[in-house]
Structures are given as C-alpha cells and as structure tokens.
C-alpha cells in the first residue's frame, strides 16, 4: 500500500500519464527531460515511476512531447516501446498551453490557448512545490560543480511534514519555469527530492538539460509550422 500511495501522489505532481532571472545569460533553445524516480529500502536500484517528460523550448514557447509505453508480444517475448500520443504547445511566460494530436492538424492560426493548470499530461509546472516555508540554503558540490542545496519541510496538504530538498545551479537560467520555485530561488532547478512517505521512500524529480541542441526533425516540423509564434 505504501508504494501505491506514493505513486498516486507523484502522479498528481506530474499529472496523469522557473521563469528565473539569469545570472550568466539566458539559454533560448534546447530541451529538458524530466524523470521521476523512487528509491525504497531493500530495493537494489531506483525505479522510474512516471514516464520521462520531454520539453523542447525555443524562446518562451515550449513543445512537450507526450508519450506512452506500449507492450508488444513477439514469439512469446514481451517488450515495451514508446509511442507518441500527442503534443502540447507551452507559453512559458503566460503559463498557457494548447493540445494537439498530430503535426498535420496543427494550425498556428487556430491555437486556442488555455490556462496551463488544465493540462492533464506531463509535468505540472504550477504545482506549489514551495509555499513560503522556512528554508536553509547551503553550498554543495556534485560532479565537481558548485551548486546550492535548499532544504525545508513541506507544509502542503498532499505530503505534510515531508523533508524536501531542491538542488539548484545558480549560474544558469531555467528555460522551463517551475512557478512556485522560480519566484523565490534564482537559478536552474536540477532536482526536487522528497522523503515521502517519511522514512519509507525517497522520490526524486530530476531535470536533465541539453542547451542549444539541434532539435529532432519532428520538433523542427513543429517549429516551422508555429514560426509566427516564436
């Protein structure tokens, strides 16, 4: 039951399936991969409990690739493949989104933006990860990189009293904002770490950035169609 409870909670964070002031300039083009992993005592290695969420960004416009795992059986051998289930356009300044199923149906003249809070797939960018709790900030070094570690006790209803950590790179901007964090802490969020259920599992939402990369042909096609919006 502990495992089921934890998955239910983190599905609410990423939903079913920060505009941060730059220090050394802002990165306009790239992608971020968001993965939710969980560690439990006695388990040999962490497991991915939510499919990886991939968001490409170009200026203030994001393209979120929505995927699902599909199980295939060939000659009595089971395997999984990732299939595309649709896309989201994200307005990362106004916090709006637009859902479309295929590139062919995308018409930039008919993009009807909706509040991003209504988005039901992918990372929930407006979840209140920080709501004014008392916190401490300390310097830390990970992979020879000087970072900052924010620590506080979560006071929201969903995981009351859970110890929470945020790992931040203070030398980078955050192209895909997490609203409640970016308004308080300056830098790029690399990880959110929750001890929840307390002393029974540790769940990490990890953010892996690739700046100034060449987008895939799939994403290029979307950029070309929405050129007027970029």
């Amino acid at each position: 039951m502990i495992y089921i409870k934890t998955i239910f909670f983190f599905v609410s964070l990423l939903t079913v399936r920060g505009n941060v002031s730059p220090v050394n300039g802002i990165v306009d083009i790239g992608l971020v991969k968001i993965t939710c992993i969980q560690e439990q005592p006695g388990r040999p290695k962490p497991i991915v409990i939510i499919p990886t969420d991939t968001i490409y960004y170009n200026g203030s416009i994001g393209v979120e690739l929505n995927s699902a795992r599909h199980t295939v059986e060939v000659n009595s051998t089971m395997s999984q493949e990732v299939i595309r289930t649709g896309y989201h356009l994200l307005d990362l300044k106004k916090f709006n989104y637009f859902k479309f199923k295929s590139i062919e149906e995308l018409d930039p003249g008919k993009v009807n933006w909706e509040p991003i809070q209504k988005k039901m797939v992918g990372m929930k960018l407006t979840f209140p990860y920080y709501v004014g709790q008392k916190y401490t900030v300390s310097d830390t070094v990970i992979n020879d990189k000087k970072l900052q570690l924010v620590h506080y006790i979560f006071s929201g209803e969903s995981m009351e009293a859970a110890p929470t950590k945020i790992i931040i790179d203070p030398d980078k901007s955050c192209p895909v904002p997490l609203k409640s964090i970016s308004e308080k802490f300056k830098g790029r969020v690399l990880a959110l770490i929750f001890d929840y259920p307390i002393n029974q599992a540790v769940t990490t939402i990890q953010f892996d950035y690739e700046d100034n990369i060449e987008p895939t042909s799939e994403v290029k096609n979307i950029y070309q169609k929405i050129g007027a919006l970029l």
Side-chain angles (χ1 to χ4, degrees), residues 5 28 52 66 77 85 106 133 136 161 165 199 210 221 226:
K5 263 185 71 179
D28 283 334
T52 298
N66 302 325
T77 300
T85 57
L106 177 60
Q133 301 94 332
T136 61
K165 297 176 182 177
N199 297 324
E210 295 184 42
N221 288 338
I226 63 170

Side-chain angles (χ1 to χ4, degrees), residues 141-199:
V141 176
I142 300 177
N143 296 329
D144 298 322
K145 175 71 175 178
K146 293 182 179 179
L147 304 172
Q148 290 183 337
L149 180 64
V150 177
H151 179 269
Y152 57 91
I153 303 299
F154 195 91
S155 58
E157 181 180 342
S158 54
M159 54 174 186
E160 182 69 34
T164 302
K165 297 176 182 177
I166 308 174
I167 298 175
I168 294 175
D169 184 346
D171 292 332
K172 289 290 184 73
S173 62
C174 193
V176 178
L178 300 170
K179 190 171 179 59
S180 65
I181 297 175
S182 64
E183 292 177 350
K184 180 65 180 180
F185 308 107
K186 307 304 179 184
R188 175 176 288 186
V189 177
L190 302 181
L192 297 167
I193 304 168
F194 306 94
D195 185 355
Y196 184 84
I198 299 172
N199 297 324

Side-chain angles (χ1 to χ4, degrees), residues 7-103:
I7 284 191
F8 177 79
F9 166 69
F10 280 98
V11 163
S12 75
L13 288 190
L14 281 88
T15 63
V16 205
R17 14 140 219 152
N19 277 338
V20 177
S21 298
V23 178
N24 292 336
I26 190 165
V27 176
D28 283 334
I29 299 175
L31 72 83
V32 56
K33 294 181 180 179
I34 306 169
T35 308
C36 189
I37 62 175
Q38 186 183 86
E39 299 175 85
Q40 288 185 2
R43 180 180 289 150
K45 61 180 181 180
I47 63 168
V48 176
I49 63 174
I50 298 292
T52 298
D53 192 24
T54 300
I55 301 175
Y56 283 83
Y57 50 90
N58 188 331
S60 64
I61 298 296
V63 175
E64 187 173 29
L65 309 182
N66 302 325
S67 304
R69 291 174 181 169
H70 179 60
T71 301
V72 179
E73 181 178 357
V74 178
N75 297 327
S76 299
T77 300
M78 306 295 289
S79 62
Q80 284 193 338
E81 62 179 4
V82 176
I83 59 173
R84 184 77 65 240
T85 57
Y87 308 84
H88 288 141
L89 284 185
L90 306 176
D91 185 328
L92 301 172
K93 284 188 176 180
K94 297 180 179 179
F95 276 91
N96 292 323
Y97 89 107
F98 173 71
K99 180 181 179 179
F100 59 102
K101 290 184 178 180
S102 67
I103 299 175

